[in-house]
mmCIF file of all heavy atoms in Angstrom:
data_model
loop_
_atom_site.group_PDB
_atom_site.id
_atom_site.type_symbol
_atom_site.label_atom_id
_atom_site.label_comp_id
_atom_site.label_asym_id
_atom_site.label_seq_id
_atom_site.Cartn_x
_atom_site.Cartn_y
_atom_site.Cartn_z
ATOM 1 N N SER A 32 -188.848 6.099 27.467
ATOM 2 C CA SER A 32 -189.017 7.562 27.236
ATOM 3 C C SER A 32 -190.233 7.802 26.384
ATOM 4 O O SER A 32 -191.036 8.705 26.715
ATOM 5 C CB SER A 32 -187.793 8.074 26.534
ATOM 6 O OG SER A 32 -187.924 9.428 26.181
ATOM 7 N N VAL A 33 -190.466 7.061 25.305
ATOM 8 C CA VAL A 33 -191.619 7.255 24.425
ATOM 9 C C VAL A 33 -192.902 6.915 25.188
ATOM 10 O O VAL A 33 -193.895 7.665 25.078
ATOM 11 C CB VAL A 33 -191.444 6.443 23.114
ATOM 12 C CG1 VAL A 33 -192.777 6.424 22.365
ATOM 13 C CG2 VAL A 33 -190.380 6.985 22.301
ATOM 14 N N MET A 34 -192.876 5.884 26.004
ATOM 15 C CA MET A 34 -194.024 5.499 26.687
ATOM 16 C C MET A 34 -194.421 6.532 27.768
ATOM 17 O O MET A 34 -195.655 6.928 27.858
ATOM 18 C CB MET A 34 -193.794 4.142 27.446
ATOM 19 C CG MET A 34 -195.024 3.546 28.103
ATOM 20 S SD MET A 34 -194.752 1.908 28.729
ATOM 21 C CE MET A 34 -193.464 2.171 29.951
ATOM 22 N N VAL A 35 -193.498 7.094 28.435
ATOM 23 C CA VAL A 35 -193.770 8.097 29.462
ATOM 24 C C VAL A 35 -194.223 9.368 28.736
ATOM 25 O O VAL A 35 -195.181 10.048 29.216
ATOM 26 C CB VAL A 35 -192.523 8.378 30.313
ATOM 27 C CG1 VAL A 35 -192.638 9.676 31.156
ATOM 28 C CG2 VAL A 35 -192.243 7.229 31.239
ATOM 29 N N TYR A 36 -193.624 9.766 27.655
ATOM 30 C CA TYR A 36 -193.995 10.956 26.919
ATOM 31 C C TYR A 36 -195.444 10.885 26.441
ATOM 32 O O TYR A 36 -196.196 11.813 26.649
ATOM 33 C CB TYR A 36 -192.991 11.247 25.762
ATOM 34 C CG TYR A 36 -193.189 12.584 25.147
ATOM 35 C CD1 TYR A 36 -192.798 13.722 25.750
ATOM 36 C CD2 TYR A 36 -193.857 12.716 23.963
ATOM 37 C CE1 TYR A 36 -192.980 14.976 25.206
ATOM 38 C CE2 TYR A 36 -194.042 13.948 23.347
ATOM 39 C CZ TYR A 36 -193.613 15.060 24.002
ATOM 40 O OH TYR A 36 -193.799 16.294 23.437
ATOM 41 N N THR A 37 -195.810 9.801 25.770
ATOM 42 C CA THR A 37 -197.184 9.649 25.281
ATOM 43 C C THR A 37 -198.140 9.537 26.411
ATOM 44 O O THR A 37 -199.236 10.102 26.316
ATOM 45 C CB THR A 37 -197.300 8.448 24.310
ATOM 46 O OG1 THR A 37 -196.344 7.452 24.698
ATOM 47 C CG2 THR A 37 -197.156 8.813 22.901
ATOM 48 N N GLY A 38 -197.786 8.864 27.477
ATOM 49 C CA GLY A 38 -198.690 8.750 28.599
ATOM 50 C C GLY A 38 -198.915 10.087 29.317
ATOM 51 O O GLY A 38 -199.984 10.376 29.761
ATOM 52 N N SER A 39 -197.852 10.878 29.379
ATOM 53 C CA SER A 39 -197.952 12.131 30.098
ATOM 54 C C SER A 39 -198.801 13.146 29.251
ATOM 55 O O SER A 39 -199.485 13.967 29.879
ATOM 56 C CB SER A 39 -196.582 12.720 30.382
ATOM 57 O OG SER A 39 -195.868 13.078 29.183
ATOM 58 N N VAL A 40 -198.783 13.053 27.957
ATOM 59 C CA VAL A 40 -199.593 13.927 27.111
ATOM 60 C C VAL A 40 -201.080 13.631 27.402
ATOM 61 O O VAL A 40 -201.891 14.551 27.621
ATOM 62 C CB VAL A 40 -199.303 13.750 25.641
ATOM 63 C CG1 VAL A 40 -200.294 14.474 24.802
ATOM 64 C CG2 VAL A 40 -197.888 14.336 25.345
ATOM 65 N N ALA A 41 -201.435 12.348 27.464
ATOM 66 C CA ALA A 41 -202.808 11.936 27.686
ATOM 67 C C ALA A 41 -203.280 12.324 29.128
ATOM 68 O O ALA A 41 -204.372 12.854 29.314
ATOM 69 C CB ALA A 41 -202.998 10.480 27.458
ATOM 70 N N LEU A 42 -202.352 12.098 30.094
ATOM 71 C CA LEU A 42 -202.714 12.433 31.470
ATOM 72 C C LEU A 42 -202.822 13.994 31.610
ATOM 73 O O LEU A 42 -203.778 14.458 32.233
ATOM 74 C CB LEU A 42 -201.659 11.935 32.385
ATOM 75 C CG LEU A 42 -201.794 12.201 33.884
ATOM 76 C CD1 LEU A 42 -203.049 11.522 34.405
ATOM 77 C CD2 LEU A 42 -200.595 11.727 34.677
ATOM 78 N N GLY A 43 -201.941 14.733 31.004
ATOM 79 C CA GLY A 43 -202.044 16.156 31.078
ATOM 80 C C GLY A 43 -203.306 16.732 30.437
ATOM 81 O O GLY A 43 -203.944 17.650 30.921
ATOM 82 N N ALA A 44 -203.691 16.118 29.334
ATOM 83 C CA ALA A 44 -204.942 16.599 28.659
ATOM 84 C C ALA A 44 -206.150 16.297 29.528
ATOM 85 O O ALA A 44 -207.098 17.156 29.661
ATOM 86 C CB ALA A 44 -205.121 15.859 27.343
ATOM 87 N N ALA A 45 -206.152 15.121 30.243
ATOM 88 C CA ALA A 45 -207.306 14.770 31.105
ATOM 89 C C ALA A 45 -207.322 15.802 32.308
ATOM 90 O O ALA A 45 -208.397 16.250 32.701
ATOM 91 C CB ALA A 45 -207.179 13.348 31.582
ATOM 92 N N LEU A 46 -206.147 16.049 32.942
ATOM 93 C CA LEU A 46 -206.118 16.920 34.029
ATOM 94 C C LEU A 46 -206.474 18.372 33.642
ATOM 95 O O LEU A 46 -207.186 19.025 34.369
ATOM 96 C CB LEU A 46 -204.725 16.971 34.646
ATOM 97 C CG LEU A 46 -204.278 15.658 35.362
ATOM 98 C CD1 LEU A 46 -202.831 15.742 35.838
ATOM 99 C CD2 LEU A 46 -205.235 15.456 36.592
ATOM 100 N N GLN A 47 -206.003 18.810 32.503
ATOM 101 C CA GLN A 47 -206.360 20.177 32.050
ATOM 102 C C GLN A 47 -207.828 20.294 31.697
ATOM 103 O O GLN A 47 -208.458 21.301 31.903
ATOM 104 C CB GLN A 47 -205.453 20.602 30.889
ATOM 105 C CG GLN A 47 -204.091 20.889 31.316
ATOM 106 C CD GLN A 47 -203.212 21.483 30.209
ATOM 107 O OE1 GLN A 47 -203.611 21.503 29.000
ATOM 108 N NE2 GLN A 47 -202.027 21.948 30.542
ATOM 109 N N GLY A 48 -208.415 19.218 31.126
ATOM 110 C CA GLY A 48 -209.841 19.226 30.865
ATOM 111 C C GLY A 48 -210.652 19.317 32.107
ATOM 112 O O GLY A 48 -211.631 20.106 32.199
ATOM 113 N N ALA A 49 -210.289 18.577 33.174
ATOM 114 C CA ALA A 49 -210.977 18.664 34.429
ATOM 115 C C ALA A 49 -210.838 20.000 35.083
ATOM 116 O O ALA A 49 -211.720 20.561 35.649
ATOM 117 C CB ALA A 49 -210.453 17.561 35.389
ATOM 118 N N ALA A 50 -209.592 20.573 34.983
ATOM 119 C CA ALA A 50 -209.358 21.920 35.537
ATOM 120 C C ALA A 50 -210.113 22.934 34.818
ATOM 121 O O ALA A 50 -210.660 23.893 35.447
ATOM 122 C CB ALA A 50 -207.848 22.242 35.568
ATOM 123 N N ALA A 51 -210.240 22.836 33.490
ATOM 124 C CA ALA A 51 -210.994 23.770 32.697
ATOM 125 C C ALA A 51 -212.471 23.790 33.075
ATOM 126 O O ALA A 51 -213.136 24.829 33.093
ATOM 127 C CB ALA A 51 -210.833 23.505 31.213
ATOM 128 N N ASP A 52 -212.991 22.562 33.410
ATOM 129 C CA ASP A 52 -214.410 22.503 33.831
ATOM 130 C C ASP A 52 -214.556 23.150 35.168
ATOM 131 O O ASP A 52 -215.672 23.756 35.415
ATOM 132 C CB ASP A 52 -214.819 21.025 33.911
ATOM 133 C CG ASP A 52 -215.053 20.378 32.558
ATOM 134 O OD1 ASP A 52 -215.179 21.142 31.561
ATOM 135 O OD2 ASP A 52 -215.069 19.126 32.558
ATOM 136 N N LEU A 53 -213.645 23.162 36.034
ATOM 137 C CA LEU A 53 -213.744 23.722 37.369
ATOM 138 C C LEU A 53 -213.429 25.220 37.436
ATOM 139 O O LEU A 53 -214.219 25.978 38.043
ATOM 140 C CB LEU A 53 -212.801 22.949 38.345
ATOM 141 C CG LEU A 53 -213.128 21.539 38.658
ATOM 142 C CD1 LEU A 53 -212.012 20.910 39.512
ATOM 143 C CD2 LEU A 53 -214.421 21.430 39.382
ATOM 144 N N ILE A 54 -212.355 25.668 36.796
ATOM 145 C CA ILE A 54 -211.934 27.050 36.952
ATOM 146 C C ILE A 54 -211.978 27.866 35.666
ATOM 147 O O ILE A 54 -211.694 29.033 35.634
ATOM 148 C CB ILE A 54 -210.522 27.133 37.558
ATOM 149 C CG1 ILE A 54 -209.504 26.485 36.631
ATOM 150 C CG2 ILE A 54 -210.461 26.541 38.946
ATOM 151 C CD1 ILE A 54 -208.042 26.663 37.092
ATOM 152 N N GLY A 55 -212.328 27.238 34.545
ATOM 153 C CA GLY A 55 -212.392 27.953 33.273
ATOM 154 C C GLY A 55 -211.178 27.700 32.453
ATOM 155 O O GLY A 55 -210.088 27.442 32.919
ATOM 156 N N LEU A 56 -211.366 27.884 31.139
ATOM 157 C CA LEU A 56 -210.293 27.628 30.178
ATOM 158 C C LEU A 56 -209.165 28.548 30.251
ATOM 159 O O LEU A 56 -207.988 28.185 30.284
ATOM 160 C CB LEU A 56 -210.870 27.620 28.731
ATOM 161 C CG LEU A 56 -209.903 27.309 27.613
ATOM 162 C CD1 LEU A 56 -209.356 25.878 27.830
ATOM 163 C CD2 LEU A 56 -210.607 27.364 26.266
ATOM 164 N N ARG A 57 -209.466 29.853 30.376
ATOM 165 C CA ARG A 57 -208.385 30.901 30.441
ATOM 166 C C ARG A 57 -207.509 30.690 31.686
ATOM 167 O O ARG A 57 -206.300 30.737 31.585
ATOM 168 C CB ARG A 57 -208.998 32.255 30.427
ATOM 169 C CG ARG A 57 -208.045 33.353 30.240
ATOM 170 C CD ARG A 57 -208.785 34.680 30.111
ATOM 171 N NE ARG A 57 -209.543 34.663 28.846
ATOM 172 C CZ ARG A 57 -209.543 35.640 27.964
ATOM 173 N NH1 ARG A 57 -208.874 36.699 28.243
ATOM 174 N NH2 ARG A 57 -210.247 35.524 26.909
ATOM 175 N N SER A 58 -208.116 30.404 32.824
ATOM 176 C CA SER A 58 -207.339 30.201 34.072
ATOM 177 C C SER A 58 -206.540 28.961 33.974
ATOM 178 O O SER A 58 -205.386 28.872 34.443
ATOM 179 C CB SER A 58 -208.269 30.099 35.245
ATOM 180 O OG SER A 58 -209.010 31.313 35.398
ATOM 181 N N THR A 59 -207.058 27.890 33.343
ATOM 182 C CA THR A 59 -206.335 26.624 33.160
ATOM 183 C C THR A 59 -205.055 26.838 32.280
ATOM 184 O O THR A 59 -203.997 26.348 32.668
ATOM 185 C CB THR A 59 -207.228 25.568 32.514
ATOM 186 O OG1 THR A 59 -208.366 25.364 33.365
ATOM 187 C CG2 THR A 59 -206.510 24.236 32.403
#
Side-chain angles (χ1 to χ4, degrees):
S32 172
V33 168
M34 187 173 61
V35 167
Y36 189 75
T37 29
S39 65
V40 169
L42 181 63
L46 290 174
Q47 286 185 352
D52 286 343
L53 293 174
I54 62 174
L56 184 59
R57 191 174 294 226
S58 299
T59 301

